Amino acid sequence: MKFLSLFCCCVLLLSCKKESAQAPIPEITILQAPSSLSIQVPDTVRLTLDLRGEEELVSLKVNLLNQALVPVTESQVYGISGKSQRLEIVYPINDPQLDDGAYFLALSLNTARESGNKFVPVQLTGIPRTATGAVFLASVGNQTRIYQTDSSGLQPQLRASLPFALKDAVYDPSSACVWLTGMGNSSLYRYRLADFQTSPVFSSLPAPGFETYRSMHLGPQWLYLGRGQGNVVAIDAAATQKWLYNLPEGYVPGMIQHLQQYFLVEMQPIDPTAVRRMQLIEPDRQGLIRELAMNGPLLGAARLANNEVLLLVEEAGQGKLYRYTPSNSRFESETGPDTRNFRSILTLPSGDLIIRSNSSLWRYQPGSNVRTGQFSQLANENFESVSHDPLLNRLLAIQQNQASYISLPSGSNQSIFLPEAMKIGFLTRSRK
């Protein structure tokens, strides 16, 4: 009987060891792919691939990424079968807001247990583009006013008024609109740049004790809304719900942000004595990757080139930068004993960051390790809002009733005066 028990234990141990062995990674061989592509949107990229795996192949996922490895178009998934296959794919590029420049086609070949990846550099040229001006939003009392300029970015004209205080707004170039949420308002609004019309397009149930919409972020495909009901919802350009993520009971979402392979959700506890936390989840499956305790509100976040995440955390009223490495859950100060009070982070297509402090505007190039990044000062002013225009590579910075257009290549600054103090502003663009 002892020998039988020992034999069963050995069989069980061998079985567990075999099961825990790493799954073989499938391989992608590029047989034909363009090195550059001159297109008039919409167009396609054609690829010929050899796909092989030691296990059954399931699917091939293709994304178009910018130089910061952020998806810029909707992914395409191609179903496949067998252990080897030659596949010719036609990948559509139909986003009317893409700019000329260097991109990557990201290929992910999947089996049931593992995935193999390959990046194909693609240079897109000949895409027409047009700057259409700027839009500004002011909020005083229970009124929000929207101003819009001509293509020069000058001479803002009042175009719409709304009967609520502005909570948040984002510019969506793909649908040529601005999404807005108001204080104490249960509707999401859309302002159309073409005809100056504003209308409610999506409503949520009120959350007693909390703002209906607590946060908003425009991702590569959808608009994400953090709600006082304790969840995050994603909607498409038609305001149709596409995605829902529920936070653990007792938490409501604070800051939310799509960071390529991560989706970040700040978890603010309903109990004021409880610990504030942050979750990184997988955007497609909504599966938890990592969870981290925070010492204060999260003000901003950016994904770094090595899959680490830069976090801006307010501690005792001071905004401090930390670097978080999900692979080993390491959480370190990015700048050491820095006395600057950082307030926001903006990611550029190059991977550099625009960081706003309470007295200056900085461009920051992260290093490969903490405390090795480089700051360069862009302006010595206390701006209240900053946005980026990838079309002409310039910033729009707002300070009360003055706006500054800051060119990133040269650092030149053009300022205009506005009819009143503005809260948020965006430089706009279109394709014709």
Side-chain angles (χ1 to χ4, degrees), residues 169-225:
V170 297
Y171 167 53
D172 184 358
S174 64
S175 56
C177 76
V178 175
W179 303 99
L180 308 95
T181 57
M183 298 283 191
N185 199 297
S186 59
S187 292
L188 170 74
Y189 287 77
R190 178 169 55 201
Y191 170 72
R192 296 199 304 255
L193 298 172
D195 58 11
F196 319 132
Q197 297 299 307
T198 306
S199 58
V201 291
F202 185 82
S203 295
S204 294
L205 293 174
F210 300 97
E211 287 285 342
T212 302
Y213 298 111
R214 297 176 51 79
S215 50
M216 181 163 50
H217 177 72
L218 184 65
Q221 298 179 42
W222 301 319
L223 176 71
Y224 297 89
L225 300 165

Side-chain angles (χ1 to χ4, degrees), residues 304-305 310 321 323 334-335 346 348 350-355 362-377:
L304 303 182
L310 192 69
L321 293 172
R323 184 179 297 213
E334 175 71 7
T335 57
L346 184 66
L348 301 180
S350 65
D352 286 2
L353 307 173
I354 299 298
I355 301 181
W362 306 87
R363 182 167 184 162
Y364 182 62
Q365 184 177 23
S368 56
N369 298 302
V370 295
R371 293 180 288 282
T372 61
Q374 299 295 319
F375 280 97
S376 57
Q377 191 176 54

Side-chain angles (χ1 to χ4, degrees), residues 220-298:
Q221 298 179 42
W222 301 319
L223 176 71
Y224 297 89
L225 300 165
R227 303 192 290 188
Q229 300 173 38
N231 55 41
V232 179
V233 64
I235 64 171
D236 62 14
T240 302
Q241 182 173 318
K242 309 294 291 186
W243 191 86
L244 177 69
Y245 180 71
N246 291 309
L247 272 64
E249 186 175 354
Y251 289 91
V252 292
M255 199 200 83
I256 56 176
Q257 192 163 343
H258 193 289
L259 300 171
Q260 195 185 338
Q261 73 269 46
Y262 309 129
F263 188 86
L264 181 151
V265 183
E266 180 191 9
M267 300 164 52
Q268 295 185 359
I270 295 175
D271 180 355
T273 64
V275 177
R276 188 185 301 261
R277 309 187 69 82
M278 178 206 75
Q279 282 190 347
L280 293 177
I281 65 172
E282 203 279 325
D284 294 331
R285 297 186 304 107
Q286 302 178 33
L288 180 64
I289 298 175
R290 289 288 186 272
E291 186 170 313
L292 175 70
M294 311 294 294
N295 292 328
L298 193 59

Side-chain angles (χ1 to χ4, degrees), residues 54-110:
E54 295 182 29
E55 298 181 345
E56 287 284 323
L57 303 175
V58 175
S59 65
L60 176 74
K61 182 179 179 180
V62 184
N63 271 321
L64 184 67
L65 312 180
N66 63 17
Q67 287 292 289
L69 301 182
V70 175
V72 293
T73 62
E74 189 168 352
S75 61
Q76 298 287 321
V77 178
Y78 304 85
I80 52 180
S81 60
K83 295 183 178 181
S84 66
Q85 186 172 340
R86 176 165 294 185
L87 185 65
E88 294 184 2
I89 65 172
V90 178
Y91 182 77
I93 298 180
N94 49 28
D95 185 347
Q97 299 304 321
L98 280 177
D99 296 321
D100 288 359
Y103 295 84
F104 294 99
L105 278 174
L107 311 175
S108 179
L109 180 59
N110 304 295

